[in-house]
Amino acid sequence: RESSAVMQALTIVQKENSGSLTEALIKEIARYLDLPVISVQEVATFYEIYNHKPVGKYVIRFCHNISCMLNGSDDLISYLEEKLEVKTGEISKDGLVSVKKVECLGACVGGPMCQIGDQYYEHFTTKKIDEI
């Protein structure tokens, strides 16, 4: 039962820690759930929804898997980086935005796609970027 709470615990703690996890927080979650630290670390490092370094207030995750790449995700990432003046893996100067490439967001048929906060956007375009 405790292991079924790992993802939600990581999510809650990450939100409470300005959007990222530390090794100390992961250890505390393991202690709280009475699980081996490695069990919590495995989940925290496997899923790309968990951040292990500080991020901006808004995290934009672009799917970079084959379906999205073939449908133009690289061009969209470049467009967004230029528009927001932030590089992938970095935080914007104002601290508001982080851009990440992720392996898969689970919507290959809707590529290219991205996730902004908790919202998913399929068939993403530069027009949609401008509207958002």
Side-chain angles (χ1 to χ4, degrees):
R1 290 184 183 164
E2 290 81 5
S3 62
S4 65
V6 171
M7 289 187 76
Q8 191 61 31
L10 287 166
T11 300
I12 291 168
V13 170
Q14 178 170 271
K15 282 184 180 181
E16 292 296 318
N17 192 51
S18 300
S20 65
L21 296 167
T22 64
E23 192 62 33
L25 291 172
I26 290 170
K27 287 179 181 178
E28 183 58 26
I29 291 168
R31 186 202 61 73
Y32 181 79
L33 295 176
D34 196 27
L35 292 169
V37 174
I38 189 66
S39 296
V40 178
Q41 286 173 326
E42 287 173 339
V43 174
T45 57
F46 180 79
Y47 292 101
E48 294 184 273
I49 58 173
Y50 303 116
N51 304 305
H52 301 280
K53 64 180 187 176
V55 293
K57 182 177 180 180
Y58 304 101
V59 178
I60 302 173
R61 291 179 175 87
F62 271 94
C63 179
H64 199 250
N65 207 327
I66 189 71
S67 297
C68 288
M69 280 185 3
L70 291 173
N71 283 296
S73 64
D74 286 338
D75 293 335
L76 292 173
I77 292 167
S78 294
Y79 179 80
L80 184 71
E81 286 176 333
E82 186 176 313
K83 184 173 184 71
L84 298 179
E85 299 177 347
V86 62
K87 293 290 183 194
T88 300
E90 296 179 1
I91 302 171
S92 62
K93 291 175 188 163
D94 60 9
L96 288 178
V97 177
S98 291
V99 178
K100 292 179 75 173
K101 287 182 185 179
V102 297
E103 184 58 32
C104 184
L105 289 170
C108 295
V109 73
M113 75 154 313
C114 83
Q115 176 187 9
I116 302 173
D118 294 329
Q119 181 70 42
Y120 287 82
Y121 298 89
E122 294 182 343
H123 307 289
F124 213 54
T125 63
T126 55
K127 182 179 177 187
K128 285 184 181 180
I129 288 173
D130 292 341
E131 289 171 359
I132 295 169

